[in-house]
Amino acid sequence: MAVTARFYVRKVTEERQAGTSDKTGHVELSASIKGEENRSWAKYTPAGNITLSTVNADALEWFADRMGRDVALMFDDVPATI
């Protein structure tokens, strides 16, 4: 069984390192308990905060485009490798 959790994108920060054109960033997510649509869901979804760091500019932009909006995370088993 997989577990799905609703989190909202609370904060996205972007940084640039001296001497490189690489963009790095940090994303902060919080459990989504706001709004009438999440009232029943909030009783069952995992609560907490998630902090991510990325050097993937496309991923950073994806989160920035969803600032303040809910996103879904699915937690599931990773298949064993041979």
Side-chain angles (χ1 to χ4, degrees), residues 34-69:
K34 60 186 171 69
E36 188 63 35
E37 68 278 7
N38 286 328
R39 185 172 300 238
S40 64
W41 177 270
K43 293 188 293 189
Y44 306 107
T45 192
N49 298 300
I50 298 172
T51 302
L52 306 171
S53 296
T54 184
V55 294
N56 182 327
D58 291 335
L60 193 60
E61 183 177 340
W62 188 91
F63 283 107
D65 289 346
R66 286 152 181 84
M67 181 74 69
R69 292 177 33 204

Short mmCIF file of all heavy atoms in Angstrom, two decimals, residues 34-69:
data_model
loop_
_atom_site.label_atom_id
_atom_site.label_comp_id
_atom_site.label_asym_id
_atom_site.label_seq_id
_atom_site.Cartn_x
_atom_site.Cartn_y
_atom_site.Cartn_z
N LYS A 34 -5.14 23.53 5.19
CA LYS A 34 -5.96 24.73 5.01
C LYS A 34 -7.12 24.45 4.05
O LYS A 34 -7.05 23.56 3.21
CB LYS A 34 -5.11 25.86 4.46
CG LYS A 34 -4.48 25.56 3.13
CD LYS A 34 -3.54 26.66 2.70
CE LYS A 34 -2.78 26.32 1.54
NZ LYS A 34 -2.54 26.08 0.44
N GLY A 35 -8.16 25.20 4.21
CA GLY A 35 -9.27 25.13 3.27
C GLY A 35 -10.26 24.02 3.54
O GLY A 35 -9.92 22.97 4.08
N GLU A 36 -11.48 24.28 3.16
CA GLU A 36 -12.56 23.31 3.35
C GLU A 36 -12.30 22.01 2.61
O GLU A 36 -12.62 20.92 3.10
CB GLU A 36 -13.88 23.94 2.87
CG GLU A 36 -15.10 23.11 3.18
CD GLU A 36 -15.34 22.93 4.68
OE1 GLU A 36 -15.05 23.85 5.46
OE2 GLU A 36 -15.81 21.83 5.06
N GLU A 37 -11.69 22.11 1.42
CA GLU A 37 -11.45 20.91 0.62
C GLU A 37 -10.48 19.94 1.28
O GLU A 37 -10.45 18.76 0.95
CB GLU A 37 -10.96 21.28 -0.79
CG GLU A 37 -9.57 21.89 -0.84
CD GLU A 37 -9.52 23.38 -0.53
OE1 GLU A 37 -10.54 23.97 -0.14
OE2 GLU A 37 -8.44 23.96 -0.66
N ASN A 38 -9.68 20.41 2.22
CA ASN A 38 -8.70 19.54 2.89
C ASN A 38 -9.13 19.14 4.30
O ASN A 38 -8.40 18.44 4.98
CB ASN A 38 -7.33 20.23 2.95
CG ASN A 38 -6.66 20.23 1.60
OD1 ASN A 38 -6.83 19.32 0.80
ND2 ASN A 38 -5.91 21.28 1.31
N ARG A 39 -10.30 19.57 4.73
CA ARG A 39 -10.73 19.31 6.10
C ARG A 39 -10.74 17.80 6.42
O ARG A 39 -10.16 17.36 7.40
CB ARG A 39 -12.09 19.91 6.37
CG ARG A 39 -12.54 19.77 7.82
CD ARG A 39 -13.79 20.56 8.05
NE ARG A 39 -13.47 21.95 7.76
CZ ARG A 39 -13.61 22.93 8.62
NH1 ARG A 39 -14.11 22.70 9.80
NH2 ARG A 39 -13.29 24.17 8.31
N SER A 40 -11.39 17.01 5.60
CA SER A 40 -11.44 15.57 5.87
C SER A 40 -10.11 14.91 5.56
O SER A 40 -9.69 13.98 6.24
CB SER A 40 -12.57 14.90 5.09
OG SER A 40 -12.34 15.00 3.71
N TRP A 41 -9.43 15.40 4.53
CA TRP A 41 -8.14 14.83 4.15
C TRP A 41 -7.11 15.04 5.26
O TRP A 41 -6.30 14.16 5.54
CB TRP A 41 -7.67 15.52 2.87
CG TRP A 41 -6.32 15.10 2.40
CD1 TRP A 41 -5.13 15.68 2.72
CD2 TRP A 41 -6.00 14.01 1.55
NE1 TRP A 41 -4.09 15.03 2.12
CE2 TRP A 41 -4.61 13.99 1.39
CE3 TRP A 41 -6.76 13.04 0.90
CZ2 TRP A 41 -3.96 13.05 0.60
CZ3 TRP A 41 -6.10 12.10 0.11
CH2 TRP A 41 -4.73 12.11 -0.02
N ALA A 42 -7.13 16.19 5.91
CA ALA A 42 -6.12 16.53 6.91
C ALA A 42 -6.10 15.57 8.08
O ALA A 42 -5.07 15.39 8.73
CB ALA A 42 -6.33 17.96 7.41
N LYS A 43 -7.22 14.92 8.36
CA LYS A 43 -7.25 13.95 9.47
C LYS A 43 -6.37 12.73 9.17
O LYS A 43 -5.91 12.07 10.08
CB LYS A 43 -8.68 13.46 9.72
CG LYS A 43 -9.60 14.52 10.25
CD LYS A 43 -10.93 13.93 10.65
CE LYS A 43 -11.69 13.41 9.45
NZ LYS A 43 -13.08 13.03 9.75
N TYR A 44 -6.16 12.44 7.89
CA TYR A 44 -5.48 11.21 7.51
C TYR A 44 -4.12 11.40 6.88
O TYR A 44 -3.35 10.46 6.78
CB TYR A 44 -6.37 10.42 6.53
CG TYR A 44 -7.75 10.19 7.07
CD1 TYR A 44 -8.84 10.88 6.58
CD2 TYR A 44 -7.95 9.29 8.11
CE1 TYR A 44 -10.11 10.67 7.10
CE2 TYR A 44 -9.22 9.07 8.63
CZ TYR A 44 -10.29 9.76 8.13
OH TYR A 44 -11.54 9.57 8.63
N THR A 45 -3.82 12.59 6.41
CA THR A 45 -2.55 12.80 5.73
C THR A 45 -1.42 12.96 6.76
O THR A 45 -1.64 13.49 7.84
CB THR A 45 -2.62 14.04 4.80
OG1 THR A 45 -1.46 14.05 3.97
CG2 THR A 45 -2.67 15.33 5.59
N PRO A 46 -0.22 12.49 6.42
CA PRO A 46 0.90 12.74 7.32
C PRO A 46 1.12 14.24 7.50
O PRO A 46 0.95 15.02 6.56
CB PRO A 46 2.08 12.10 6.58
CG PRO A 46 1.46 11.05 5.71
CD PRO A 46 0.14 11.64 5.29
N ALA A 47 1.48 14.63 8.69
CA ALA A 47 1.73 16.04 8.99
C ALA A 47 3.23 16.26 9.07
O ALA A 47 4.00 15.34 9.33
CB ALA A 47 1.06 16.42 10.31
N GLY A 48 3.64 17.49 8.85
CA GLY A 48 5.05 17.81 9.00
C GLY A 48 5.52 18.79 7.95
O GLY A 48 4.73 19.39 7.24
N ASN A 49 6.83 18.92 7.87
CA ASN A 49 7.48 19.81 6.92
C ASN A 49 8.55 19.04 6.17
O ASN A 49 9.16 18.12 6.71
CB ASN A 49 8.12 21.00 7.64
CG ASN A 49 7.09 21.83 8.36
OD1 ASN A 49 6.18 22.36 7.75
ND2 ASN A 49 7.22 21.93 9.67
N ILE A 50 8.78 19.44 4.94
CA ILE A 50 9.81 18.82 4.11
C ILE A 50 10.66 19.95 3.55
O ILE A 50 10.13 20.95 3.04
CB ILE A 50 9.20 17.99 2.97
CG1 ILE A 50 8.38 16.84 3.54
CG2 ILE A 50 10.29 17.47 2.04
CD1 ILE A 50 7.59 16.07 2.50
N THR A 51 11.97 19.80 3.63
CA THR A 51 12.90 20.75 3.04
C THR A 51 13.72 20.02 1.99
O THR A 51 14.30 18.98 2.27
CB THR A 51 13.84 21.34 4.11
OG1 THR A 51 13.04 21.98 5.12
CG2 THR A 51 14.78 22.37 3.51
N LEU A 52 13.74 20.56 0.79
CA LEU A 52 14.48 19.97 -0.32
C LEU A 52 15.53 20.95 -0.81
O LEU A 52 15.32 22.15 -0.79
CB LEU A 52 13.53 19.68 -1.49
CG LEU A 52 12.30 18.83 -1.21
CD1 LEU A 52 11.38 18.83 -2.44
CD2 LEU A 52 12.71 17.42 -0.88
N SER A 53 16.64 20.42 -1.27
CA SER A 53 17.66 21.21 -1.95
C SER A 53 17.82 20.62 -3.34
O SER A 53 17.73 19.41 -3.51
CB SER A 53 18.99 21.14 -1.21
OG SER A 53 18.88 21.71 0.06
N THR A 54 18.05 21.48 -4.33
CA THR A 54 18.20 20.98 -5.68
C THR A 54 19.19 21.83 -6.47
O THR A 54 19.33 23.02 -6.21
CB THR A 54 16.84 20.93 -6.42
OG1 THR A 54 17.04 20.35 -7.72
CG2 THR A 54 16.21 22.29 -6.55
N VAL A 55 19.86 21.20 -7.41
CA VAL A 55 20.69 21.92 -8.38
C VAL A 55 20.02 21.83 -9.75
O VAL A 55 20.59 22.28 -10.74
CB VAL A 55 22.13 21.35 -8.45
CG1 VAL A 55 22.86 21.59 -7.14
CG2 VAL A 55 22.13 19.89 -8.82
N ASN A 56 18.81 21.29 -9.80
CA ASN A 56 18.06 21.14 -11.03
C ASN A 56 17.19 22.39 -11.23
O ASN A 56 16.19 22.58 -10.54
CB ASN A 56 17.20 19.87 -10.95
CG ASN A 56 16.41 19.62 -12.21
OD1 ASN A 56 15.98 20.53 -12.89
ND2 ASN A 56 16.21 18.35 -12.51
N ALA A 57 17.58 23.24 -12.17
CA ALA A 57 16.87 24.50 -12.39
C ALA A 57 15.41 24.26 -12.80
O ALA A 57 14.53 25.02 -12.40
CB ALA A 57 17.58 25.32 -13.46
N ASP A 58 15.15 23.21 -13.57
CA ASP A 58 13.77 22.91 -13.98
C ASP A 58 12.92 22.51 -12.79
O ASP A 58 11.76 22.91 -12.68
CB ASP A 58 13.74 21.80 -15.03
CG ASP A 58 14.33 22.24 -16.36
OD1 ASP A 58 14.33 23.46 -16.65
OD2 ASP A 58 14.79 21.36 -17.12
N ALA A 59 13.47 21.75 -11.87
CA ALA A 59 12.73 21.35 -10.67
C ALA A 59 12.46 22.57 -9.80
O ALA A 59 11.35 22.73 -9.28
CB ALA A 59 13.52 20.30 -9.88
N LEU A 60 13.43 23.44 -9.66
CA LEU A 60 13.25 24.65 -8.86
C LEU A 60 12.14 25.52 -9.45
O LEU A 60 11.28 26.02 -8.72
CB LEU A 60 14.57 25.42 -8.80
CG LEU A 60 14.67 26.52 -7.77
CD1 LEU A 60 14.47 26.00 -6.36
CD2 LEU A 60 16.00 27.23 -7.90
N GLU A 61 12.12 25.64 -10.77
CA GLU A 61 11.08 26.42 -11.44
C GLU A 61 9.71 25.76 -11.26
O GLU A 61 8.71 26.44 -11.07
CB GLU A 61 11.40 26.56 -12.93
CG GLU A 61 10.41 27.42 -13.67
CD GLU A 61 10.79 27.61 -15.14
OE1 GLU A 61 11.95 27.41 -15.50
OE2 GLU A 61 9.88 27.96 -15.91
N TRP A 62 9.66 24.42 -11.31
CA TRP A 62 8.40 23.69 -11.12
C TRP A 62 7.79 24.05 -9.76
O TRP A 62 6.62 24.34 -9.66
CB TRP A 62 8.64 22.19 -11.23
CG TRP A 62 7.39 21.37 -11.23
CD1 TRP A 62 6.67 20.98 -12.32
CD2 TRP A 62 6.70 20.83 -10.09
NE1 TRP A 62 5.58 20.25 -11.93
CE2 TRP A 62 5.57 20.14 -10.56
CE3 TRP A 62 6.93 20.88 -8.72
CZ2 TRP A 62 4.68 19.49 -9.72
CZ3 TRP A 62 6.03 20.23 -7.88
CH2 TRP A 62 4.93 19.55 -8.38
N PHE A 63 8.61 24.01 -8.72
CA PHE A 63 8.12 24.35 -7.39
C PHE A 63 7.74 25.83 -7.30
O PHE A 63 6.72 26.18 -6.70
CB PHE A 63 9.15 23.99 -6.32
CG PHE A 63 9.19 22.53 -6.01
CD1 PHE A 63 10.25 21.74 -6.45
CD2 PHE A 63 8.18 21.91 -5.28
CE1 PHE A 63 10.30 20.38 -6.16
CE2 PHE A 63 8.22 20.56 -4.99
CZ PHE A 63 9.27 19.79 -5.44
N ALA A 64 8.55 26.70 -7.88
CA ALA A 64 8.26 28.14 -7.83
C ALA A 64 6.92 28.45 -8.50
O ALA A 64 6.16 29.30 -8.03
CB ALA A 64 9.39 28.93 -8.50
N ASP A 65 6.62 27.75 -9.59
CA ASP A 65 5.34 27.94 -10.28
C ASP A 65 4.15 27.49 -9.43
O ASP A 65 3.01 27.85 -9.74
CB ASP A 65 5.32 27.16 -11.60
CG ASP A 65 6.22 27.77 -12.67
OD1 ASP A 65 6.67 28.92 -12.49
OD2 ASP A 65 6.49 27.08 -13.67
N ARG A 66 4.40 26.71 -8.41
CA ARG A 66 3.33 26.18 -7.56
C ARG A 66 3.34 26.80 -6.15
O ARG A 66 2.74 26.27 -5.23
CB ARG A 66 3.43 24.66 -7.49
CG ARG A 66 2.96 24.03 -8.79
CD ARG A 66 3.62 22.70 -9.06
NE ARG A 66 3.15 22.18 -10.35
CZ ARG A 66 3.70 22.51 -11.52
NH1 ARG A 66 4.69 23.37 -11.57
NH2 ARG A 66 3.24 22.00 -12.64
N MET A 67 4.00 27.93 -6.01
CA MET A 67 4.08 28.61 -4.72
C MET A 67 2.69 28.81 -4.13
O MET A 67 1.79 29.32 -4.78
CB MET A 67 4.77 29.96 -4.89
CG MET A 67 4.93 30.72 -3.59
SD MET A 67 6.20 30.03 -2.55
CE MET A 67 7.63 30.43 -3.50
N GLY A 68 2.50 28.35 -2.90
CA GLY A 68 1.22 28.51 -2.21
C GLY A 68 0.17 27.48 -2.60
O GLY A 68 -0.92 27.48 -2.03
N ARG A 69 0.47 26.63 -3.55
CA ARG A 69 -0.49 25.62 -4.00
C ARG A 69 -0.16 24.26 -3.41
O ARG A 69 0.97 23.98 -3.01
CB ARG A 69 -0.49 25.53 -5.52
CG ARG A 69 -1.03 26.79 -6.17
CD ARG A 69 -1.00 26.80 -7.67
NE ARG A 69 -1.18 25.52 -8.32
CZ ARG A 69 -0.73 25.26 -9.54
NH1 ARG A 69 -0.09 26.19 -10.23
NH2 ARG A 69 -0.94 24.08 -10.09
#
